[in-house]
Amino acid sequence: MMEDSGQSKLLSSISANQNDELPIFNVHSYPVMIEAINVISLLGKSNTVIIRAKGDSIPNAVAIANIITEKMLKGNSKIHKILVDTEMPAGIGKMLSTIEIVLQKN
């Protein structure tokens, strides 16, 4: 029963952008392989997926992209674009790094 609620939290991190064109996967601190499998399922529905992460989740996003392109879909996928940015959330006073990795299935 606990695993089902964890899975629903993972699936809730999947959203669509304003144009409803490309699925966006928001990375959290869940196990990397589980998140990679969720991204693979999105790649099955759409040939392009955006992986987004902020702060401490950035290494997980990079690991997910590498697992997919180098292990799971080797030769059948690629990293199309990587966008790195920083934002300053209100009230925190520190800058927060963000990353977007655009994966494409060949």
Side-chain angles (χ1 to χ4, degrees):
M1 189 77 169
M2 290 288 278
E3 188 172 315
D4 291 333
S5 65
Q7 185 70 10
S8 65
K9 287 180 187 176
L10 284 175
L11 295 176
S12 69
S13 66
I14 300 169
S15 63
N17 62 6
Q18 295 84 5
N19 299 331
D20 290 332
E21 293 176 7
L22 299 176
I24 298 172
F25 185 83
N26 294 307
V27 176
H28 299 288
S29 60
Y30 300 115
V32 176
M33 286 303 292
I34 292 173
E35 291 192 317
I37 291 169
N38 287 333
V39 173
I40 289 280
S41 69
L42 286 176
L43 278 172
K45 297 173 186 172
S46 173
N47 287 335
T48 305
V49 173
I50 299 172
I51 300 173
R52 283 190 184 162
K54 293 181 180 184
D56 293 336
S57 297
I58 290 174
N60 287 356
V62 173
I64 290 166
N66 284 334
I67 288 169
I68 291 170
T69 58
E70 299 296 324
K71 302 293 182 192
M72 293 180 159
L73 296 178
K74 187 174 184 174
N76 294 323
S77 65
K78 66 178 181 176
I79 296 174
H80 174 69
K81 183 175 17 175
I82 299 175
L83 302 171
V84 180
D85 198 7
T86 56
E87 59 185 41
M88 190 168 216
I92 295 179
K94 292 183 179 180
M95 296 183 84
L96 181 64
S97 298
T98 62
I99 191 168
E100 278 190 9
I101 303 171
V102 181
L103 292 181
Q104 285 185 333
K105 187 170 66 170
N106 297 343

